[in-house]
Amino acid sequence: SWQKLSLRRESEGTSNAIITDQDEHLPQFCKCLEQVMLCKFKASRRSMFGISKLELWQMFLMLSKHCRNQNLTRFYDDIIERIKRCNKLKTYQGRGRAFIRLALTKGLLSEVIETLVTSTLVTSFYESESILQSHRLKSDVMKILKQVSEAKFDLILTNISFLDESWIIPIHKLVQIQNSGDVGLLVRHIDNRAVVVKIEPHSPAANTDIEPGDVLDQVFGESLYRVRVGTINEIMRRYRNQSIPILVIKKNLANGLPFDPIASRLDQIYKTDKLAISKEKPESNPQPKPVTNGASCRLPSVDETPVQAPDDGSLYSATYLGSASMGKKGDKAFIEEGIKIVIDRDQPEITVTIELNEGYATVKNKSKNEPIFHFSYTEISSCGRLTSYPGLFAFIAGDTTCTISENFTCHVFKASSEEMAKTLLGYLVEGFSRTCWSGHYCSELQFSDRLYNVISEDIAIA
């Protein structure tokens, strides 16, 4: 992959040119580099909360303690904290990729890897058969990385919102819209992204480069990744009668081809809602253009806004309705049974806070600020809700990792709205997908994931 990148630059007489995100070979090189670093990477570790999945980001964090090079130490001090604070990256995978891009830009990637292979961490994170523990293969990798470090990279470090999903960097545009009350945008929240589905004619938005299918990435400096429905309107109300700076991620790449992470969301809108869509297709895009029917729904109340948890998670308020022992029944098919058991028992309700973090969920008694229970995502076997009980949602968890547990409990909650119930379910599913590694119940969450993805309403930005 690096040879392709180098040979192309040499053939064009640009061997000394700066490598940018516009280079079509760069994403493949980064992907191959990531695959090398993940080869025989120890996928999990056991802790008091069960088995959790390991990612490169966690290794990079620990590697900072092994730096001996002064330049590398400064790099870690600055960049690690910068990535930690970035609210556009929500997964360890995305943060790890951001780290690699920053290391390439600083010309320090070879030093990072050399520090790794000469430290004790290499045996902690890698199997003995890994590339980075093989003397011959490790030597070949380091030779290539020395060449890489001699090249000059100028990568955009702010356009990283989709690193959680892809190495390809999409087109990122800043547009200004006059916020006079109704900007003329209709968006839909699909897989935690604010997708534009309609632009009203003769509106302020109609005079910009925003198109249906684009994703709103940031408004007034606030990231829109994983925000709840209604957040955009709240931001707009705070800055009424001002010019609105909006960062937009375009649905198509510079070569005219669709950006896959956005294309998959547009496909969901088209297939699940069967909207009145124009049959015209972009010449390079096999998927239809989505256009909404203009429907809107009531905005959730302000008190549904998640606040930041102490360790960079999200904190939500809800009502805990109780639990039901399910025995060996951890499958999603028993969610309905568990909810009905709890409702029939009419147990005392408790106002709680639900803290969702990278690897676990904690439920606390809100008035006493005392934990009621604490679960690793690997212990949660399934989650879902019943449309006949709006606002209610539940998850089933084992007394140990769900793949080996034989004693499951269904926990039932009531959110402040149906939309918030869907939001919380979505975060539970994502938490599970970040930490699960194998087993019988891993596929069961696809049901809840699809439920969250497709039952989504159009929200007019006013």
Side-chain angles (χ1 to χ4, degrees), residues 210-249:
I210 301 176
E211 302 174 279
D214 293 344
V215 167
L216 303 186
D217 182 40
Q218 187 173 297
V219 175
F220 277 108
E222 298 187 35
S223 173
L224 301 182
Y225 182 28
R226 285 190 180 178
V227 299
R228 67 172 182 84
V229 174
T231 298
I232 303 176
N233 277 301
E234 292 173 9
I235 296 173
M236 296 296 186
R237 284 193 288 270
R238 290 203 302 267
Y239 299 97
R240 198 175 182 87
N241 298 320
Q242 296 185 40
S243 180
I244 311 168
I246 301 178
L247 278 175
V248 178
I249 296 176

Side-chain angles (χ1 to χ4, degrees), residues 188-192 268 272-273 332 335-336 339 382-395 418-430 443-457:
R188 171 167 293 190
H189 291 264
I190 301 291
D191 288 353
N192 301 306
Q268 285 186 54
T272 60
D273 295 345
K332 69 176 186 293
I335 288 285
E336 179 177 2
I339 290 176
S382 58
C383 61
R385 67 184 185 90
L386 300 180
T387 54
S388 54
Y389 294 94
L392 262 62
F393 67 97
F395 66 82
E418 183 177 5
E419 196 64 44
M420 182 52 61
K422 286 189 270 184
T423 298
L424 284 163
L425 276 177
Y427 283 144
L428 284 171
V429 170
E430 288 169 5
S443 62
E444 303 300 343
L445 283 176
Q446 293 173 2
F447 169 81
S448 295
D449 190 33
R450 179 154 183 77
L451 174 74
Y452 173 68
N453 291 341
V454 303
I455 302 180
S456 179
E457 298 171 284

Side-chain angles (χ1 to χ4, degrees), residues 16-74:
N16 295 322
I18 297 174
I19 300 174
T20 69
D21 285 313
Q22 280 66 52
D23 196 306
E24 61 181 7
H25 294 286
L26 180 62
Q28 184 61 31
F29 166 68
C30 290
K31 183 178 180 180
C32 291
L33 179 61
E34 183 182 47
Q35 289 173 343
V36 167
M37 298 187 70
L38 288 173
C39 176
K40 297 296 180 179
F41 190 78
K42 293 181 180 179
S44 62
R45 65 181 175 189
R46 186 178 294 276
S47 69
M48 62 182 294
F49 301 121
I51 299 174
S52 60
K53 186 177 178 180
L54 290 176
E55 298 281 0
L56 291 176
W57 170 248
Q58 294 156 294
M59 180 185 71
F60 290 143
L61 286 177
M62 295 182 66
L63 191 60
S64 64
K65 301 174 183 177
H66 295 258
C67 294
R68 296 177 182 175
N69 180 290
Q70 190 174 2
N71 288 335
L72 202 56
T73 301
R74 285 200 300 268

Side-chain angles (χ1 to χ4, degrees), residues 164-202:
D164 287 344
E165 303 177 48
S166 173
W167 272 111
I168 296 175
I169 303 301
I171 297 175
H172 211 216
K173 283 193 173 183
L174 176 65
V175 300
Q176 297 279 343
I177 300 180
Q178 186 60 36
N179 183 14
S180 57
D182 184 358
V183 300
L185 285 175
L186 196 68
V187 303
R188 171 167 293 190
H189 291 264
I190 301 291
D191 288 353
N192 301 306
R193 306 284 184 180
V195 183
V196 177
V197 292
K198 185 178 181 181
I199 299 176
E200 298 291 348
H202 313 297

Side-chain angles (χ1 to χ4, degrees), residues 1-6 8-9 19-36 93 97-98 100-101 104 109 148 153-156 159 162-163 165-171 253-255 257-261:
S1 179
W2 172 249
Q3 285 179 341
K4 285 183 180 179
L5 186 59
S6 300
R8 186 195 64 77
R9 293 166 65 232
I19 300 174
T20 69
D21 285 313
Q22 280 66 52
D23 196 306
E24 61 181 7
H25 294 286
L26 180 62
Q28 184 61 31
F29 166 68
C30 290
K31 183 178 180 180
C32 291
L33 179 61
E34 183 182 47
Q35 289 173 343
V36 167
Q93 176 172 274
R97 288 175 173 179
I100 291 172
R101 283 173 57 84
L104 286 171
L109 187 62
V148 171
F153 289 81
D154 184 14
L155 309 182
I156 300 173
N159 185 7
F162 275 92
L163 278 180
E165 303 177 48
S166 173
W167 272 111
I168 296 175
I169 303 301
I171 297 175
L253 301 171
N255 59 11
L257 293 175
F259 179 49
D260 286 342

